mmCIF file of all heavy atoms in Angstrom:
data_model
loop_
_atom_site.group_PDB
_atom_site.id
_atom_site.type_symbol
_atom_site.label_atom_id
_atom_site.label_comp_id
_atom_site.label_asym_id
_atom_site.label_seq_id
_atom_site.Cartn_x
_atom_site.Cartn_y
_atom_site.Cartn_z
ATOM 1 N N ASN A 62 3.517 10.189 -2.248
ATOM 2 C CA ASN A 62 4.570 10.171 -3.261
ATOM 3 C C ASN A 62 4.924 8.748 -3.662
ATOM 4 O O ASN A 62 6.095 8.413 -3.871
ATOM 5 C CB ASN A 62 5.827 10.875 -2.731
ATOM 6 C CG ASN A 62 5.733 12.379 -2.797
ATOM 7 O OD1 ASN A 62 6.665 13.079 -2.432
ATOM 8 N ND2 ASN A 62 4.613 12.907 -3.261
ATOM 9 N N ALA A 143 6.306 34.512 -13.117
ATOM 10 C CA ALA A 143 5.565 34.231 -14.356
ATOM 11 C C ALA A 143 4.724 35.437 -14.769
ATOM 12 O O ALA A 143 4.677 35.802 -15.954
ATOM 13 C CB ALA A 143 4.678 32.995 -14.158
ATOM 14 N N LEU A 155 -2.737 45.559 -22.690
ATOM 15 C CA LEU A 155 -2.483 46.735 -21.859
ATOM 16 C C LEU A 155 -3.090 46.573 -20.470
ATOM 17 O O LEU A 155 -2.478 46.954 -19.464
ATOM 18 C CB LEU A 155 -3.052 47.985 -22.547
ATOM 19 C CG LEU A 155 -2.644 49.334 -21.938
ATOM 20 C CD1 LEU A 155 -1.138 49.495 -21.975
ATOM 21 C CD2 LEU A 155 -3.326 50.476 -22.670
ATOM 22 N N VAL A 189 15.348 38.106 -10.804
ATOM 23 C CA VAL A 189 16.731 38.237 -11.281
ATOM 24 C C VAL A 189 16.874 37.647 -12.685
ATOM 25 O O VAL A 189 17.541 38.227 -13.556
ATOM 26 C CB VAL A 189 17.696 37.545 -10.299
ATOM 27 C CG1 VAL A 189 19.082 37.387 -10.923
ATOM 28 C CG2 VAL A 189 17.790 38.339 -9.007
ATOM 29 N N ARG A 199 18.368 44.371 -24.533
ATOM 30 C CA ARG A 199 18.486 45.809 -24.776
ATOM 31 C C ARG A 199 19.910 46.322 -24.826
ATOM 32 O O ARG A 199 20.165 47.398 -25.361
ATOM 33 C CB ARG A 199 17.716 46.572 -23.686
ATOM 34 C CG ARG A 199 16.223 46.272 -23.678
ATOM 35 C CD ARG A 199 15.500 47.140 -22.682
ATOM 36 N NE ARG A 199 14.069 46.889 -22.696
ATOM 37 C CZ ARG A 199 13.178 47.598 -22.011
ATOM 38 N NH1 ARG A 199 13.586 48.603 -21.246
ATOM 39 N NH2 ARG A 199 11.892 47.294 -22.075
ATOM 40 N N ASP A 267 10.399 5.308 7.117
ATOM 41 C CA ASP A 267 10.646 4.062 7.844
ATOM 42 C C ASP A 267 12.122 3.874 8.170
ATOM 43 O O ASP A 267 12.467 3.086 9.050
ATOM 44 C CB ASP A 267 10.162 2.868 7.017
ATOM 45 C CG ASP A 267 8.677 2.963 6.702
ATOM 46 O OD1 ASP A 267 7.949 3.536 7.532
ATOM 47 O OD2 ASP A 267 8.259 2.481 5.638
ATOM 48 N N ASP A 274 22.181 11.086 11.186
ATOM 49 C CA ASP A 274 23.497 11.267 11.777
ATOM 50 C C ASP A 274 23.366 11.399 13.296
ATOM 51 O O ASP A 274 22.302 11.759 13.816
ATOM 52 C CB ASP A 274 24.134 12.531 11.186
ATOM 53 C CG ASP A 274 25.574 12.704 11.615
ATOM 54 O OD1 ASP A 274 26.421 11.939 11.157
ATOM 55 O OD2 ASP A 274 25.838 13.621 12.421
ATOM 56 N N SER A 348 12.412 22.526 -5.150
ATOM 57 C CA SER A 348 12.533 21.078 -4.951
ATOM 58 C C SER A 348 13.817 20.691 -4.232
ATOM 59 O O SER A 348 13.910 19.585 -3.696
ATOM 60 C CB SER A 348 12.466 20.353 -6.303
ATOM 61 O OG SER A 348 13.655 20.536 -7.056
#
Side-chain angles (χ1 to χ4, degrees):
N62 281 181
L155 191 60
V189 167
R199 298 185 178 186
D267 301 329
D274 187 71
S348 73

